[in-house]
Amino acid sequence: LTAYICSDAFTSQWQDKIYKAYPKQIDSYQMMFGVNCSAILFTIGALVISMEIPPVVEFLTYNPTALLYNIITAITSATGQLFIFYTIKSYGPVVFTIIMTTRQMISMVLSTILFGHTLTAGSCMGAALVFGAVFYRIHRKRLEKRAREQAAAALEK
């Protein structure tokens, strides 16, 4: 879980830096291609190291429906990635973080309503901490922007 959170936080920030460093050269499709090539290499490496390629091929040979489901998952994943990259490029990583955090919060709430799962006090505190940090960052950026605008206005006078 820690590796997921660190990787997730790193990825959107890294993509934002790439977009800012190469605004005219990198678009969402190129970013998606690079990220997916990296993921493919990582996955193939893990399969080779664990010697699981033959069992995977055997499973897909005997279960062609699973291959179809993998293809459908790949298509929906690619579509979602296009929206993710567009959001990061157009609005920045902070807005993307808010969207994803809100999505996870809605998922937690729906899980409790639809499936009767319970939210522990720790879950509620964790969600409050995450949302608090995200909204604090937004507030801080707004204050910085306002200070820059006021400094620019003072220089014009």
Side-chain angles (χ1 to χ4, degrees):
L1 184 59
T2 302
Y4 165 76
I5 291 170
C6 291
S7 297
D8 194 43
F10 166 78
T11 303
S12 62
Q13 297 294 324
W14 172 74
Q15 290 167 352
D16 186 51
K17 285 187 189 284
I18 296 289
Y19 284 136
K20 285 179 179 173
Y22 307 99
K24 302 218 187 303
Q25 296 94 342
I26 301 293
D27 61 17
S28 298
Y29 301 109
Q30 292 167 320
M31 184 66 77
M32 189 166 96
F33 180 75
V35 168
N36 286 333
C37 284
S38 301
I40 288 169
L41 292 174
F42 180 77
T43 302
I44 289 172
L47 288 172
V48 167
I49 289 170
S50 65
M51 295 182 285
E52 291 185 9
I53 289 180
V56 168
V57 171
E58 181 182 355
F59 177 80
L60 293 175
T61 302
Y62 290 113
N63 300 288
T65 307
L67 182 60
L68 174 66
Y69 289 148
N70 278 313
I71 292 168
I72 292 169
T73 301
I75 291 168
T76 57
S77 177
T79 304
Q81 283 182 335
L82 288 174
F83 287 110
I84 289 168
F85 295 136
Y86 174 80
T87 302
I88 292 170
K89 186 170 186 175
S90 300
Y91 303 103
V94 174
V95 171
F96 174 70
T97 301
I98 293 168
I99 291 169
M100 295 310 291
T101 305
T102 304
R103 178 191 67 83
Q104 290 173 342
M105 178 61 77
I106 291 170
S107 176
M108 284 173 45
V109 170
L110 287 176
S111 176
T112 59
I113 294 170
L114 297 176
F115 303 110
H117 297 145
T118 58
L119 289 177
T120 64
S123 298
C124 293
M125 287 178 59
L129 181 68
V130 168
F131 272 103
V134 168
F135 287 117
Y136 172 74
R137 183 169 179 186
I138 292 168
H139 176 68
R140 205 177 80 224
K141 282 200 172 235
R142 251 193 213 143
L143 291 177
E144 289 171 4
K145 183 180 178 184
R146 190 177 303 151
R148 281 193 308 270
E149 289 171 353
Q150 288 174 348
L155 288 175
E156 290 176 2
K157 291 182 181 180

Short mmCIF file of all heavy atoms in Angstrom, two decimals, residues 4 7 25 30-31 37 43 48-49 66 91 93 95 103-104 112 114-115 117 128 134 140 142 146 148 153:
data_model
loop_
_atom_site.label_atom_id
_atom_site.label_comp_id
_atom_site.label_asym_id
_atom_site.label_seq_id
_atom_site.Cartn_x
_atom_site.Cartn_y
_atom_site.Cartn_z
N TYR A 4 2.25 1.80 -3.42
CA TYR A 4 1.20 2.31 -4.31
C TYR A 4 1.00 3.81 -4.09
O TYR A 4 0.96 4.58 -5.05
CB TYR A 4 -0.11 1.56 -4.07
CG TYR A 4 -1.31 2.26 -4.67
CD1 TYR A 4 -1.54 2.24 -6.04
CD2 TYR A 4 -2.19 2.99 -3.87
CE1 TYR A 4 -2.63 2.90 -6.59
CE2 TYR A 4 -3.26 3.65 -4.41
CZ TYR A 4 -3.48 3.59 -5.77
OH TYR A 4 -4.54 4.26 -6.32
N SER A 7 4.08 5.75 -5.36
CA SER A 7 4.13 5.73 -6.82
C SER A 7 3.03 6.61 -7.42
O SER A 7 3.27 7.33 -8.38
CB SER A 7 3.98 4.30 -7.34
OG SER A 7 5.04 3.50 -6.91
N GLN A 25 6.15 19.47 -27.31
CA GLN A 25 6.61 18.19 -27.83
C GLN A 25 5.83 16.98 -27.30
O GLN A 25 5.74 15.97 -27.97
CB GLN A 25 8.09 17.97 -27.51
CG GLN A 25 9.01 18.95 -28.17
CD GLN A 25 9.33 20.15 -27.28
OE1 GLN A 25 8.64 20.42 -26.32
NE2 GLN A 25 10.37 20.87 -27.62
N GLN A 30 1.60 10.53 -26.38
CA GLN A 30 3.00 10.19 -26.18
C GLN A 30 3.27 9.82 -24.72
O GLN A 30 4.04 8.90 -24.44
CB GLN A 30 3.89 11.35 -26.60
CG GLN A 30 3.87 11.58 -28.10
CD GLN A 30 4.48 12.90 -28.49
OE1 GLN A 30 4.28 13.90 -27.82
NE2 GLN A 30 5.22 12.90 -29.60
N MET A 31 2.63 10.54 -23.80
CA MET A 31 2.80 10.22 -22.39
C MET A 31 2.25 8.83 -22.11
O MET A 31 2.88 8.03 -21.41
CB MET A 31 2.10 11.26 -21.52
CG MET A 31 2.31 11.05 -20.04
SD MET A 31 4.01 11.27 -19.48
CE MET A 31 4.10 13.05 -19.49
N CYS A 37 4.75 1.60 -22.11
CA CYS A 37 5.97 0.85 -22.46
C CYS A 37 6.75 0.50 -21.19
O CYS A 37 7.24 -0.63 -21.05
CB CYS A 37 6.84 1.64 -23.42
SG CYS A 37 6.22 1.65 -25.11
N THR A 43 6.40 -5.48 -16.25
CA THR A 43 5.60 -6.71 -16.14
C THR A 43 6.33 -7.90 -16.75
O THR A 43 6.38 -8.98 -16.15
CB THR A 43 4.23 -6.52 -16.82
OG1 THR A 43 3.56 -5.41 -16.20
CG2 THR A 43 3.37 -7.76 -16.68
N VAL A 48 9.39 -12.89 -16.20
CA VAL A 48 10.60 -13.66 -16.51
C VAL A 48 11.30 -14.08 -15.22
O VAL A 48 11.69 -15.24 -15.05
CB VAL A 48 11.55 -12.85 -17.43
CG1 VAL A 48 12.92 -13.49 -17.50
CG2 VAL A 48 10.95 -12.71 -18.82
N ILE A 49 11.47 -13.13 -14.29
CA ILE A 49 12.16 -13.44 -13.02
C ILE A 49 11.42 -14.51 -12.24
O ILE A 49 12.03 -15.41 -11.66
CB ILE A 49 12.33 -12.15 -12.18
CG1 ILE A 49 13.37 -11.24 -12.85
CG2 ILE A 49 12.73 -12.46 -10.74
CD1 ILE A 49 13.45 -9.85 -12.26
N ALA A 66 -10.79 -15.47 -21.02
CA ALA A 66 -9.94 -14.62 -20.18
C ALA A 66 -9.14 -13.65 -21.04
O ALA A 66 -8.93 -12.50 -20.66
CB ALA A 66 -9.01 -15.48 -19.33
N TYR A 91 -5.12 20.74 -16.22
CA TYR A 91 -5.46 21.34 -14.93
C TYR A 91 -4.41 21.12 -13.85
O TYR A 91 -4.50 21.71 -12.78
CB TYR A 91 -6.81 20.79 -14.44
CG TYR A 91 -7.91 21.02 -15.43
CD1 TYR A 91 -8.38 19.98 -16.23
CD2 TYR A 91 -8.47 22.27 -15.60
CE1 TYR A 91 -9.39 20.19 -17.15
CE2 TYR A 91 -9.48 22.50 -16.52
CZ TYR A 91 -9.93 21.44 -17.30
OH TYR A 91 -10.92 21.65 -18.21
N PRO A 93 -1.57 18.45 -11.49
CA PRO A 93 -1.68 17.27 -10.64
C PRO A 93 -2.56 17.46 -9.40
O PRO A 93 -3.11 16.50 -8.89
CB PRO A 93 -0.23 16.98 -10.25
CG PRO A 93 0.48 18.27 -10.41
CD PRO A 93 -0.22 18.99 -11.52
N VAL A 95 -5.47 19.12 -9.16
CA VAL A 95 -6.86 18.85 -9.53
C VAL A 95 -7.06 17.35 -9.74
O VAL A 95 -8.06 16.78 -9.31
CB VAL A 95 -7.25 19.65 -10.80
CG1 VAL A 95 -8.61 19.23 -11.32
CG2 VAL A 95 -7.23 21.14 -10.50
N ARG A 103 -13.10 10.33 -5.90
CA ARG A 103 -13.59 9.06 -6.45
C ARG A 103 -13.44 7.94 -5.43
O ARG A 103 -14.35 7.13 -5.23
CB ARG A 103 -12.83 8.71 -7.72
CG ARG A 103 -13.24 7.39 -8.35
CD ARG A 103 -12.30 6.97 -9.44
NE ARG A 103 -10.98 6.64 -8.96
CZ ARG A 103 -10.62 5.45 -8.45
NH1 ARG A 103 -11.52 4.50 -8.34
NH2 ARG A 103 -9.39 5.24 -8.06
N GLN A 104 -12.30 7.89 -4.75
CA GLN A 104 -12.09 6.85 -3.75
C GLN A 104 -13.02 7.03 -2.55
O GLN A 104 -13.51 6.05 -1.99
CB GLN A 104 -10.62 6.83 -3.31
CG GLN A 104 -9.71 6.32 -4.41
CD GLN A 104 -8.24 6.43 -4.09
OE1 GLN A 104 -7.83 7.19 -3.21
NE2 GLN A 104 -7.42 5.69 -4.82
N THR A 112 -20.15 1.15 1.77
CA THR A 112 -20.85 1.02 3.05
C THR A 112 -22.36 0.95 2.86
O THR A 112 -23.04 0.20 3.55
CB THR A 112 -20.51 2.18 4.01
OG1 THR A 112 -20.88 3.40 3.40
CG2 THR A 112 -19.05 2.21 4.35
N LEU A 114 -24.15 0.12 -0.11
CA LEU A 114 -24.63 -0.99 -0.93
C LEU A 114 -24.31 -2.37 -0.36
O LEU A 114 -25.09 -3.31 -0.52
CB LEU A 114 -24.06 -0.89 -2.35
CG LEU A 114 -24.47 0.34 -3.16
CD1 LEU A 114 -23.76 0.36 -4.51
CD2 LEU A 114 -25.98 0.36 -3.37
N PHE A 115 -23.16 -2.50 0.30
CA PHE A 115 -22.72 -3.82 0.75
C PHE A 115 -22.66 -3.97 2.26
O PHE A 115 -22.26 -5.00 2.76
CB PHE A 115 -21.35 -4.15 0.13
CG PHE A 115 -21.36 -4.10 -1.37
CD1 PHE A 115 -20.68 -3.10 -2.04
CD2 PHE A 115 -22.06 -5.04 -2.12
CE1 PHE A 115 -20.69 -3.04 -3.42
CE2 PHE A 115 -22.07 -4.99 -3.49
CZ PHE A 115 -21.39 -3.99 -4.15
N HIS A 117 -20.69 -2.61 4.39
CA HIS A 117 -19.37 -2.54 5.02
C HIS A 117 -19.36 -1.40 6.03
O HIS A 117 -20.09 -0.43 5.89
CB HIS A 117 -18.27 -2.31 3.97
CG HIS A 117 -18.16 -3.44 3.00
ND1 HIS A 117 -17.84 -3.25 1.68
CD2 HIS A 117 -18.35 -4.78 3.14
CE1 HIS A 117 -17.82 -4.41 1.06
NE2 HIS A 117 -18.13 -5.35 1.92
N ALA A 128 -10.36 12.11 6.33
CA ALA A 128 -10.34 13.52 6.73
C ALA A 128 -8.94 14.10 6.60
O ALA A 128 -8.76 15.23 6.13
CB ALA A 128 -10.84 13.67 8.16
N VAL A 134 -5.17 17.88 1.01
CA VAL A 134 -5.42 18.32 -0.38
C VAL A 134 -5.99 19.74 -0.39
O VAL A 134 -5.53 20.61 -1.14
CB VAL A 134 -6.35 17.34 -1.10
CG1 VAL A 134 -6.86 17.92 -2.41
CG2 VAL A 134 -5.64 16.02 -1.36
N ARG A 140 -3.26 27.05 -0.01
CA ARG A 140 -1.92 27.63 -0.05
C ARG A 140 -1.57 28.13 -1.44
O ARG A 140 -1.02 29.21 -1.60
CB ARG A 140 -0.91 26.58 0.42
CG ARG A 140 0.35 27.19 0.98
CD ARG A 140 1.31 26.16 1.51
NE ARG A 140 2.01 25.61 0.35
CZ ARG A 140 2.26 24.32 0.14
NH1 ARG A 140 1.88 23.44 1.02
NH2 ARG A 140 2.90 23.92 -0.91
N ARG A 142 -3.68 29.15 -3.71
CA ARG A 142 -4.48 30.35 -3.94
C ARG A 142 -3.85 31.57 -3.29
O ARG A 142 -3.81 32.65 -3.88
CB ARG A 142 -5.90 30.15 -3.38
CG ARG A 142 -6.90 30.03 -4.46
CD ARG A 142 -8.30 30.14 -3.95
NE ARG A 142 -9.07 29.26 -4.81
CZ ARG A 142 -10.05 28.52 -4.44
NH1 ARG A 142 -10.45 28.54 -3.19
NH2 ARG A 142 -10.68 27.78 -5.29
N ARG A 146 -2.47 34.87 -5.19
CA ARG A 146 -2.94 36.21 -4.82
C ARG A 146 -1.76 37.11 -4.47
O ARG A 146 -1.71 38.27 -4.86
CB ARG A 146 -3.91 36.12 -3.65
CG ARG A 146 -4.61 37.44 -3.36
CD ARG A 146 -5.62 37.32 -2.24
NE ARG A 146 -6.60 36.30 -2.53
CZ ARG A 146 -7.23 35.58 -1.61
NH1 ARG A 146 -6.99 35.78 -0.33
NH2 ARG A 146 -8.12 34.68 -1.95
N ARG A 148 1.34 36.85 -5.60
CA ARG A 148 2.04 37.18 -6.84
C ARG A 148 1.30 38.27 -7.61
O ARG A 148 1.90 39.19 -8.16
CB ARG A 148 2.18 35.94 -7.73
CG ARG A 148 3.29 35.01 -7.31
CD ARG A 148 3.61 33.98 -8.37
NE ARG A 148 2.45 33.22 -8.86
CZ ARG A 148 2.02 32.08 -8.34
NH1 ARG A 148 2.65 31.55 -7.31
NH2 ARG A 148 0.98 31.47 -8.85
N ALA A 153 0.89 43.87 -9.28
CA ALA A 153 0.12 45.12 -9.31
C ALA A 153 0.91 46.25 -8.64
O ALA A 153 0.87 47.40 -9.10
CB ALA A 153 -1.23 44.93 -8.62
#
